[in-house]
Amino acid sequence: MAPHLREALGDPMTVLFTLLRVAAVYLALLVYLRLSGKKVLGQMTPLDLLTLLLLSNVVQNAMIGPDNSLTGGLLGAGLLLLLDRGLSRSPLRRELLGQPTLLVHEGQPLAANLAHEGVDLGELMAALREHGVERLEDVQTAVLEVDGTISVVPRDHLTPKRVRKVRSSRNR
């Protein structure tokens, strides 16, 4: 390796160990998030946001280790983006992200699925209202998607409504 390139990149062993640590932390956090359930990902509360922010701070040193250089940070960020892109297109994607979960079928809430996913009846009803449905009886299916959102298909006499977030002028 050319001396100026080695100086710019740093010690090859430090670079290698930085990449290995970043990959290990990424995969461990992926497993932890998968185990925490889909609901956490789509409906972030202030507690979830705080946990996410603190989690990123806690694992930062584990990923980069003693290499707090610009090169170390850029290598870590680059590897995280490559891992994200690679795994999102991988045949393992379905196993990594999970599958949608049926919460309501023909107007009947599926208690075992709701409990398994940590969705209470109040949260389910709020999601139904966001879709313009007021009563469980008016739901053909409601599904907790892998991204944490709840999709609602009303019975045939109702038409599905598209949920759109509207920002008020005060929030700008």
Side-chain angles (χ1 to χ4, degrees):
M1 182 182 295
H4 67 282
L5 187 57
R6 181 183 171 114
E7 189 177 308
L9 289 177
D11 176 41
M13 291 306 288
T14 301
V15 169
L16 176 64
F17 285 125
T18 297
L19 293 174
L20 290 173
R21 281 192 303 273
V22 168
V25 169
Y26 178 85
L27 294 173
L29 287 177
L30 181 63
V31 169
Y32 293 159
L33 288 172
R34 176 71 174 91
L35 293 174
S36 69
K38 294 182 282 270
K39 184 183 151 222
V40 171
L41 301 175
Q43 300 172 4
M44 194 171 287
T45 66
L47 293 174
D48 297 328
L49 177 61
L50 180 61
T51 300
L52 186 62
L53 291 172
L54 292 175
L55 187 61
S56 66
N57 193 42
V58 166
V59 299
Q60 184 235 342
N61 289 335
M63 285 193 295
I64 302 301
D67 184 7
N68 60 1
S69 67
L70 176 62
T71 303
L74 292 175
L75 280 171
L79 182 59
L80 287 174
L81 293 171
L82 283 173
L83 285 169
D84 181 63
R85 185 174 192 110
L87 290 176
S88 68
R89 296 176 182 204
S90 144
L92 298 173
R93 183 178 191 276
R94 189 175 194 127
E95 286 77 30
L96 293 171
L97 298 179
Q99 298 180 25
T101 303
L102 187 63
L103 300 178
V104 178
H105 181 67
E106 295 182 1
Q108 297 299 312
L110 303 175
N113 291 0
L114 288 164
H116 179 261
E117 295 295 349
V119 178
D120 66 35
L121 199 53
E123 292 168 321
L124 177 62
M125 293 307 297
L128 297 183
R129 288 189 297 274
E130 287 177 359
H131 288 277
V133 179
E134 293 182 28
R135 302 175 318 145
L136 276 169
E137 299 80 31
D138 294 331
V139 176
Q140 180 65 36
T141 58
V143 176
L144 179 61
E145 303 293 348
V146 295
D147 66 358
T149 59
I150 296 177
S151 298
V152 177
V153 178
R155 291 203 182 235
D156 55 8
H157 68 278
L158 298 173
T159 55
K161 297 186 186 314
R162 185 178 178 134
V163 175
R164 178 176 229 165
K165 300 284 183 194
V166 179
R167 296 177 73 195
S168 72
S169 59
R170 292 186 300 172
N171 293 340
R172 291 186 186 159

